[in-house]
Amino acid sequence: MPKFYTAALTALGVSILISCERAAQPVPKASQIAPQPAPGQPASDQRVSINAESEEPADSVDLPNDSLVVPDTAGADFTSEDLTDVKKTLEAGLDLDQFTASGPSTPYGKACRFFDTTSVRRYSADDIRFAYVRPRLIKIAFAGDDHYVRTVNATAEITRIALFQRGADGKWHGNVKVTRDTLSILVSSSVADTTWLVCEKPAHLNGWNSDGSLKPYSAWLPVRAMDTEKMGVVWDDQFNTSKLARLADSVSRLPVHYIVEGNPEPRVPIVYKDICQYEGCAFGEWLTCDTARVLTEPKSMARTAFVLKRGDRFTAVTADMHVMQAGMVVFKRNVKIQGEGSRYFFTPADTLYPLMYGSEGGGIWYFRGKEAGGDFFFGNGDPDDVGRYADRGYDLVRPIKSEWWVRVRAKDGREGWFMPGDNIYGRQPHYEPMPDKCPAKKAN
């Protein structure tokens, strides 16, 4: 039985909501979709404030107040007062180092042990800077003392909006990518002192070796908008500091319970089996009123199996939809969409990838690494829809490219594949009765 869109949407349809994930306790996420500005497209054009009562999805989950994980290692060497002081020090530094912040930034590079400049951890040689917003402490762990210095390992969750790395040309190159990430920070204090200070450099964990040992950390130093101007950043995808600042401003205003994820593009081609395109489509007897070359495989370079001539009737057995390029929808501001029975909330950090339009305003899309069914509020994903909805805060900036291959059987039993053109009758019998013969060709 062919998969009409209504069946596919029933199977895949879910409300697309940005879910909550508790630190150190991952939970299954809702169907996902996430955003980055499309190449050549501007970030948010305006400042947007969020009204939690009107913009918040009804079944979103608030972060618990006790979302900070503190291992039970505290004692006489690390008191509750120490925990409070460490938390204040870290939160103050994280707030000052956001891309949108101004004023003095947190100094980094101080040795954790005042008597020894040897680094506490191993760092890779990578020279990396990064921009972030929405910091949140998720773990504070007392690492002990050596009779002179007490050390704390802390982990913060951030919404990373860009990375900056030095190229072979010696220049800083900026790569915009909005995603949730984590940062490791060291804090130390003299045993004889209660002053806690951030030491060494913020770092990014690079995973583990096969023997279970940690790979060297990458030192990640935060930059703010004012820093990128001094660095003379070379931007990719026609981006610039001003556009990044607008994007950061919109993302930073999101409520804490909205999780911003990385959103990779789907790998193509994607093949959907047994798809009868168009509303009312049906396989069965069709009529061609033009010459049609039928191939041995559903590939444009395949060999010819046979040729259907004008007036030939044949059987359409099944069909596959080959998605060669996903569409792309970007969001220029925080947008709430009231769909047909579903509500969606998108931000400038989101990118939606339409895959296949079905019928009655719905289809299949790709969001945050997963396929889902939903409303095509941006049109059918065709070239004609590009640029049509820019005034609504979102826009289709790239159309879907796909090929619909139908497997046919001729009267003599031969079978093959072709992509039907306009002069095929019988595809929509409910709307278009099969003619007894081909209509007369129009005279030139």
Side-chain angles (χ1 to χ4, degrees):
M1 181 176 179
K3 297 184 181 72
F4 299 106
Y5 171 67
T6 50
L9 182 57
T10 301
L12 292 172
V14 288
S15 297
I16 306 303
L17 300 172
I18 301 178
S19 64
C20 171
E21 176 178 278
R22 174 132 184 211
Q25 300 178 31
V27 296
K29 297 175 185 153
S31 183
Q32 301 182 34
I33 309 175
Q36 304 146 0
Q41 296 299 314
S44 175
D45 290 328
Q46 60 189 61
R47 293 172 177 264
V48 180
S49 60
I50 301 295
N51 182 320
E53 294 183 357
S54 63
E55 300 290 350
E56 179 181 343
D59 55 350
S60 62
V61 181
D62 286 328
L63 281 171
N65 292 329
D66 187 26
S67 59
L68 177 64
V69 176
V70 181
D72 188 19
T73 57
D77 292 332
F78 190 69
T79 65
S80 59
E81 289 78 12
D82 287 320
L83 174 61
T84 299
D85 290 342
V86 167
K87 188 170 181 288
K88 287 181 179 179
T89 297
L90 288 167
E91 289 179 338
L94 288 167
D95 287 342
L96 285 173
D97 287 340
Q98 294 187 81
F99 188 76
T100 52
S102 59
S105 59
T106 304
Y108 293 107
K110 173 183 176 294
C112 288
R113 295 175 291 205
F114 64 89
F115 58 88
D116 183 1
T117 57
T118 303
S119 177
V120 172
R121 59 163 55 124
R122 291 191 304 145
Y123 294 95
S124 67
D126 294 338
D127 201 359
I128 299 174
R129 304 290 185 269
F130 76 111
Y132 73 90
V133 292
R134 302 175 76 227
R136 180 172 70 95
L137 280 175
I138 58 176
K139 187 174 183 179
I140 293 177
F142 180 54
D145 70 74
D146 57 4
H147 304 294
Y148 298 99
V149 173
R150 297 178 296 168
T151 308
V152 167
N153 291 320
T155 304
E157 179 185 280
I158 58 168
T159 300
R160 171 164 57 89
I161 58 174
L163 279 180
F164 308 88
Q165 292 180 278
R166 283 195 189 275
D169 56 4
K171 297 180 180 178
W172 289 101
H173 292 258
N175 176 29
V176 176
K177 182 177 182 182
V178 181
T179 184
R180 185 172 47 160
D181 213 329
T182 56
L183 195 65
S184 177
I185 307 171
L186 293 174
V187 187
S188 68
S189 172
S190 168
V191 170
D193 191 358
T194 58
T195 303
W196 291 92
L197 298 174
V198 174
C199 57
E200 296 197 14
K201 299 176 181 178
H204 191 264
L205 181 61
N206 292 318
W208 288 263
N209 296 307
S210 57
D211 62 0
S213 61
L214 276 176
K215 292 182 178 179
Y217 285 85
S218 291
W220 278 26
L221 292 179
V223 297
R224 299 175 299 174
M226 64 184 73
D227 301 320
T228 59
E229 297 290 354
K230 299 175 184 177
M231 292 163 63
V233 175
V234 178
W235 295 96
D236 61 350
D237 299 334
Q238 301 178 8
F239 229 78
N240 57 43
T241 298
S242 178
K243 290 179 180 178
L244 185 63
R246 292 197 296 271
L247 173 63
D249 181 71
S250 291
V251 175
S252 67
R253 292 167 180 262
L254 293 173
V256 66
H257 49 274
Y258 286 109
I259 301 299
V260 178
E261 295 282 7
N263 191 44
E265 289 204 32
R267 294 184 179 180
V268 292
I270 300 172
V271 178
Y272 294 101
K273 298 287 187 179
D274 200 29
I275 299 296
C276 203
Q277 197 179 27
Y278 310 117
E279 187 174 350
C281 178
F283 297 131
E285 186 181 60
W286 290 3
L287 169 69
T288 178
C289 291
D290 205 349
T291 301
R293 188 166 68 99
V294 180
L295 309 179
T296 56
E297 298 178 82
K299 299 178 181 178
S300 58
M301 301 301 292
R303 294 182 295 107
T304 300
F306 58 92
V307 176
L308 291 171
K309 297 180 180 179
R310 175 182 169 83
D312 284 350
R313 292 176 183 270
F314 60 94
T315 300
V317 180
T318 186
D320 296 344
M321 182 67 76
H322 294 228
V323 179
M324 314 307 291
Q325 171 184 281
M328 179 183 287
V329 180
V330 299
F331 301 85
K332 298 182 180 180
R333 61 174 182 263
N334 297 322
V335 175
K336 181 176 69 175
I337 303 294
Q338 183 61 55
E340 196 68 33
S342 300
R343 186 169 57 162
Y344 313 101
F345 184 84
F346 299 97
T347 80
D350 289 320
T351 303
L352 186 63
Y353 299 100
L355 296 173
M356 182 177 69
Y357 179 74
S359 64
E360 300 180 355
I364 299 173
W365 62 32
Y366 190 85
F367 191 56
R368 288 190 185 163
K370 292 186 178 180
E371 291 182 20
D375 295 277
F376 269 42
F377 54 88
F378 42 81
N380 295 350
D382 297 330
D384 291 344
D385 294 319
V386 173
R388 287 181 58 188
Y389 304 101
D391 60 335
R392 301 184 185 181
Y394 58 86
D395 197 9
L396 178 74
V397 297
R398 188 178 72 194
I400 301 170
K401 290 184 180 179
S402 59
E403 298 176 352
W404 188 45
W405 287 93
V406 179
R407 183 158 66 90
V408 301
R409 182 183 301 122
K411 292 292 185 181
D412 61 5
R414 290 179 296 174
E415 292 192 2
W417 298 82
F418 86 132
M419 288 191 290
D422 295 332
N423 294 316
I424 300 292
Y425 295 87
R427 290 183 294 189
Q428 297 169 285
H430 180 71
Y431 301 103
E432 178 187 65
M434 175 81 77
D436 293 331
K437 61 180 181 179
C438 292
K441 290 185 176 181
K442 293 182 180 179
N444 293 331

